[in-house]
Amino acid sequence: MVSNKLFFGQIVIGPPGSGKTTYCTAMRSFMEAAGRKVAFVNLDPANENLPENCEVNIQELITLSDAMEKLNLGPNGGMIYCLEYLEKNLKWLRTKLNALPDKTYLLFDCPGQVELFSNHQSMKNIVRQFQNWDYRITAVNLVDSHYCADPSKFISVLLLSLSTMLHLELPHLNILSKVDLLEKHSNLPFNLEFYTDVMDLSYLIQDLEKDEFGQKFAALNSAICELIEDFSLVTFMTLSVRNRSNLLRIMKAADKSNGYIFGDAKAEAILGATFAAEDFRFFRAQDAQEEYMETG
């Protein structure tokens, strides 16, 4: 009989290359500085860039290469099989997790195949089992911010994010990652707040219709944008893993959504003492910048 333990955590999802492992590593270091017990849980059977301190690793159960070789599957079919295999062997995962100290904060690093989170059932079933075990989990969906530079790609990102939110049925944070690179290498048609707040998408339609391809599918693009706006669910936070203020805001948002702020008063006291000065410096810098802009 597996004992019950209370865990909080984030299940980190997103397309390939969006920075999931980098985010998990940075967030772990950030949380540990606040006095939290944190564990890195790898659910990607093909991840070759794991940190040294990975407490739970699906590759001890199954790897993508083994599934492809033994079952003659391609990469996508092999990945789906691995997740289905994990679903059938959740007792193994629960045993590994219950070996961790009580109230450990879990960071689940997940595969990048988006169909696993938007329409396939295995990850949804795994997440439901987490809830049955009384794990308090928030989905953190990372999207590379360079998609903002292309209106058609950004609309696709919005639709995929909405589909994932509805499919997983978890508290959900959408994150635009690598914003430091976006500011250096991309010229956005609108300011960044337009994309984070998902404002009036009709402006994107106007931008799309500047080329022949966009004009051809104007009605479809308009219908997709109306669908996204009708649900009014998708907004984004921004992330640069080098920016402590970004990490702090995401951590606080996750804490509110999964109830961590009500679960461990001692850890929250340490957190408040550690980062109060960080908050003050951040907002003081913001005020100074605004004052500079106003005075010219």
Side-chain angles (χ1 to χ4, degrees):
M1 183 69 178
V2 179
S3 61
N4 293 319
K5 287 189 177 182
L6 178 62
F7 292 117
F8 297 87
Q10 302 173 24
I11 183 164
V12 182
I13 61 178
S18 56
K20 298 182 291 296
T21 301
T22 302
Y23 167 81
C24 288
T25 303
M27 183 58 77
R28 174 179 188 151
S29 298
F30 191 76
M31 287 183 171
E32 287 179 338
R36 298 190 185 185
K37 297 173 290 186
V38 185
F40 189 108
V41 182
N42 176 49
L43 297 185
D44 185 352
N47 194 340
E48 298 178 351
N49 299 306
L50 292 174
E52 293 182 2
N53 50 349
C54 178
E55 282 76 7
V56 181
N57 186 1
I58 188 179
Q59 294 174 20
E60 296 176 8
L61 178 70
I62 189 171
T63 65
L64 177 61
S65 59
D66 285 345
M68 292 171 61
E69 180 181 348
K70 294 178 180 180
L71 300 172
N72 196 27
L73 296 171
N76 289 334
M79 186 65 73
I80 290 174
Y81 178 84
C82 289
L83 266 293
E84 291 175 347
Y85 190 79
L86 176 63
E87 181 188 353
K88 298 297 184 182
N89 292 274
L90 280 176
K91 184 178 180 181
W92 171 87
L93 179 61
R94 193 178 189 190
T95 300
K96 288 286 187 179
L97 294 175
N98 274 275
L100 301 171
D102 195 27
K103 297 185 180 179
T104 298
Y105 199 100
L106 307 175
L107 293 173
F108 293 91
D109 187 9
C110 295
Q113 277 73 2
V114 295
E115 65 269 20
L116 296 173
F117 308 99
S118 61
N119 50 57
H120 193 263
Q121 288 297 312
S122 285
M123 184 54 70
K124 182 175 183 177
N125 294 337
I126 292 170
V127 164
R128 283 182 175 174
Q129 196 60 52
F130 287 165
Q131 294 172 321
N132 292 338
W133 298 341
D134 202 25
Y135 293 4
R136 316 295 173 81
I137 304 296
T138 294
V140 176
N141 178 37
L142 297 187
V143 177
D144 197 317
S145 59
H146 83 265
Y147 289 123
C148 296
D150 187 321
S152 61
K153 291 180 180 179
F154 184 66
I155 291 174
S156 299
V157 162
L158 292 173
L159 192 60
L160 178 61
S161 298
L162 177 60
S163 176
T164 302
M165 294 172 74
L166 297 176
H167 184 69
L168 289 182
E169 299 177 340
L170 282 174
H172 196 100
L173 300 177
N174 292 307
I175 311 293
L176 290 176
S177 63
K178 307 178 186 178
V179 290
D180 51 331
L181 300 180
L182 176 70
E183 295 170 353
K184 292 179 181 178
H185 303 296
S186 299
N187 293 319
L188 297 181
F190 310 100
N191 59 32
L192 189 58
E193 288 73 20
F194 175 88
Y195 300 94
T196 56
D197 296 342
V198 189
M199 299 177 181
D200 190 348
L201 297 180
S202 63
Y203 292 105
L204 286 179
I205 299 298
Q206 295 174 17
D207 205 47
L208 277 172
E209 291 176 351
K210 293 179 181 178
D211 61 67
E212 183 177 349
F213 186 82
Q215 293 173 4
K216 183 178 180 180
F217 295 99
L220 175 61
N221 290 328
S222 179
I224 292 174
C225 288
E226 288 178 9
L227 173 67
I228 295 167
E229 290 181 330
D230 286 345
F231 276 93
S232 299
L233 291 176
V234 184
T235 57
F236 291 93
M237 303 177 72
T238 57
L239 170 67
S240 167
V241 293
R242 298 182 180 88
N243 189 319
R244 288 167 58 87
S245 297
N246 287 171
L247 292 171
L248 176 62
R249 289 190 172 195
I250 293 170
M251 183 179 68
K252 285 185 174 180
D255 287 351
K256 289 180 181 178
S257 64
N258 62 27
Y260 181 89
I261 56 173
F262 306 109
D264 195 334
K266 180 179 178 181
E268 280 305 304
I270 297 173
L271 176 69
T274 306
F275 294 108
E278 182 73 22
D279 271 333
F280 176 74
R281 287 194 297 270
F282 173 72
F283 289 112
R284 186 175 63 179
Q286 271 196 330
D287 293 341
Q289 183 179 13
E290 291 173 1
E291 182 179 354
Y292 172 79
M293 295 296 291
E294 289 174 0
T295 58

